[in-house]
Amino acid sequence: MVDLNANGKVPVPPYVAIDIISPKLPQSFLEEDGVFEAILSFTVYDKSKLDCLIKANELREMFGDQLTEDELEKQDIVLVERMEIQLRSVAETNAYAYMAGFDCRLRLQESYVDEGTGEILDIELNKGEITNE
């Protein structure tokens, strides 16, 4: 699996490219609970259209099995939706790239934790000093 927008040499097919389509979709207007959703896109590249579709379907089915669900749960991730497989092939000048993929909607918990470093109680602008007590 490779990052779709990564720099570097493209692997020899078959391989999967992952892209973050929507990095943070808030679940409420307040966003105080730190829960949000993200949409990830998985695209399978292969040398034949049929192989590409088969591998994309296998990967999509893996997201529906109990082992994957258990692993996601350990990471506090909820699989909200597995979208249908789409053909994503595009015509190129010298070759044809066979691509098929699907998107997943995941519910995540914000990983940032306030370290409790204190609060700024006094700022003296004239002296240029900032104190943190």
Side-chain angles (χ1 to χ4, degrees), residues 3 30 32 35-36 42-43 49 53-54 62 67 71 87 105 110 121 123 126:
D3 181 358
L30 300 177
E32 292 176 356
V35 175
F36 64 98
F42 297 91
T43 302
K49 187 176 182 179
L53 287 167
I54 290 169
M62 286 175 63
L67 184 62
E71 197 59 40
L87 286 172
R105 187 179 196 95
E110 185 67 58
L121 300 175
I123 299 175
N126 294 336

Side-chain angles (χ1 to χ4, degrees), residues 14-95:
Y15 67 93
V16 178
I18 185 171
D19 194 18
I20 301 171
I21 302 297
S22 298
K24 191 168 184 180
L25 302 168
Q27 296 303 290
S28 70
F29 291 109
L30 300 177
E31 297 186 48
E32 292 176 356
D33 59 358
V35 175
F36 64 98
E37 290 184 359
I39 299 176
L40 302 180
S41 179
F42 297 91
T43 302
V44 175
Y45 291 73
D46 209 336
K47 295 178 181 180
S48 81
K49 187 176 182 179
L50 182 59
D51 288 341
C52 189
L53 287 167
I54 290 169
K55 286 179 179 73
N57 188 58
E58 288 173 354
L59 180 60
R60 185 179 179 279
E61 290 302 314
M62 286 175 63
F63 274 91
D65 70 18
Q66 190 63 48
L67 184 62
T68 302
E69 187 177 315
D70 292 345
E71 197 59 40
L72 291 173
E73 187 177 326
K74 287 180 192 175
Q75 302 296 323
D76 292 327
I77 299 172
V78 176
L79 176 64
V80 176
E81 180 182 8
R82 285 181 305 160
M83 297 163 202
E84 296 302 318
I85 292 175
Q86 304 166 333
L87 286 172
R88 297 178 175 178
S89 299
V90 293
E92 297 178 352
T93 53
N94 296 332

